[in-house]
Amino acid sequence: MNADLVALLELQAKHKVVLDIEEVLASLEPQFAELDEVVNHAQEQLDTQRVRAQEADDRRAELESKIEGYRVMQERKRQKLEWVRGAKEASTLMAELDLARTVLAREEAEWIRSADKVQDMQRQVAESEAALQEIEEGQAPERQELEGRRSDLDERLAAAVDERDQVAEGVQPKLRDQFRRILRGRARLALYPLKSGACGHCYTQVPLHRQQKIRNGDTIEACEACGVLVYQDDGSENES
Ligand SMILES: [Zn+2]
């Protein structure tokens, strides 16, 4: 086998190790996403409830200041009543006071409902906080395991990339560039064995005279259809 081909095949073997690790790493992503989705859903629910609880609390505060205003007004009228002399003026003030009492009673009833709602919302917030915490705690072992696997794979990937790049240094620059150019295309690998006279990647028949050259190992031939490098596999069946 020609030395360039040997070097290229070694580079491809190292590159395959990188690809395999990248695939396993990518397969972890949906598992992380699944865990995140459950957390995000609970977090969104909690956020919504917090907003509602704040709104209820604002409403209660608003009612409180309104009621306080009525009370001050009522107190002024009551004091005024003590100094009023004319019967007509007194009865007008009395009527106003009666009305104010009714309004106040209504506002107070509203305040009680509002205070109940605040409590209710705060209870819901507390429940959602507990639920979120429970989810996070429940996920912790699985997350830890996944993160452990990921960091382990990251390390292996870095080592595999280093190793591949080192091997690439030993390949003729022109061939190395061709190898990289092919990988930027659709093919997963850059070299495929000749299979029954066809390209092992796209299965297009290779012209006879080129098949001969490939078999002789004289040159490294690119497939005319898909551009990958086609080589003669020496007996042992290719695993890809
Ligand atoms: Zn092809």
Side-chain angles (χ1 to χ4, degrees):
M1 206 186 267
N2 131 355
D4 285 337
L5 181 57
V6 172
L8 277 172
L9 284 172
E10 199 196 345
L11 175 56
Q12 170 146 299
K14 297 296 179 191
H15 181 62
K16 264 176 88 174
V17 175
V18 170
L19 288 182
D20 289 345
I21 298 170
E22 280 174 347
E23 263 165 37
V24 180
L25 262 173
S27 76
L28 296 183
E29 290 314 310
Q31 297 180 60
F32 276 111
E34 215 173 290
L35 293 176
D36 288 345
E37 201 185 310
V38 176
V39 171
N40 291 345
H41 183 258
Q43 182 69 59
E44 273 168 30
Q45 197 174 351
L46 175 59
D47 290 345
T48 308
Q49 281 169 349
R50 277 180 178 151
V51 169
R52 288 209 196 119
Q54 187 57 54
E55 281 167 0
D57 203 44
D58 291 348
R59 171 80 182 131
R60 180 179 62 176
E62 192 187 307
L63 282 167
E64 268 167 15
S65 71
K66 209 165 151 193
I67 287 166
E68 192 47 36
Y70 282 132
R71 281 220 183 89
V72 170
M73 216 159 45
Q74 208 177 12
E75 183 56 22
R76 276 195 206 120
K77 281 186 179 137
R78 209 185 49 74
Q79 282 172 0
K80 204 170 159 194
L81 188 60
E82 285 172 14
W83 299 96
V84 161
R85 294 184 186 277
K88 198 183 167 210
E89 203 185 338
S91 81
T92 306
L93 260 177
M94 298 267 277
E96 275 177 22
L97 269 170
D98 268 352
L99 184 65
R101 252 196 297 276
T102 311
V103 171
L104 192 58
R106 205 171 53 214
E107 293 294 333
E108 277 171 344
E110 177 73 25
W111 178 83
I112 288 166
R113 276 195 297 276
S114 154
D116 283 350
K117 194 174 175 195
V118 169
Q119 272 197 333
D120 202 35
M121 295 310 302
Q122 282 170 348
R123 186 180 46 75
Q124 281 184 31
V125 166
E127 278 172 11
S128 292
E129 278 169 351
L132 178 61
Q133 200 184 344
E134 201 177 315
I135 287 168
E136 283 172 341
E137 282 168 8
Q139 285 188 353
E142 197 182 341
R143 242 180 225 284
Q144 210 174 357
E145 196 259 338
L146 277 173
E147 271 156 16
R149 274 164 69 192
R150 182 161 64 183
S151 75
D152 181 45
L153 285 162
D154 280 339
E155 268 176 44
R156 281 168 54 196
L157 181 62
V161 166
D162 275 353
E163 220 174 304
R164 180 193 60 189
D165 293 349
Q166 260 172 34
V167 169
E169 289 300 311
V171 178
Q172 261 196 56
K174 210 180 136 199
L175 285 171
R176 187 168 63 215
D177 289 347
Q178 193 176 4
F179 182 92
R180 286 179 179 149
R181 204 163 47 240
I182 294 167
L183 291 181
R184 280 197 292 271
R186 266 182 230 155
R188 184 174 187 260
L189 301 174
L191 294 101
Y192 286 81
L194 187 67
K195 276 187 178 165
S196 325
C199 159
H201 176 244
C202 73
Y203 300 102
T204 300
Q205 204 64 30
V206 175
L208 280 172
H209 68 284
R210 302 189 79 196
Q211 279 186 41
Q212 201 49 53
K213 278 170 141 184
I214 292 166
R215 291 210 169 94
N216 291 343
D218 295 341
T219 55
I220 296 161
E221 294 281 317
C223 166
E224 290 171 331
C226 72
V228 303
L229 298 171
V230 182
Y231 68 98
Q232 173 65 33
D233 195 8
D234 293 337
S236 59
E237 270 307 298
N238 184 282
E239 78 263 33
S240 65

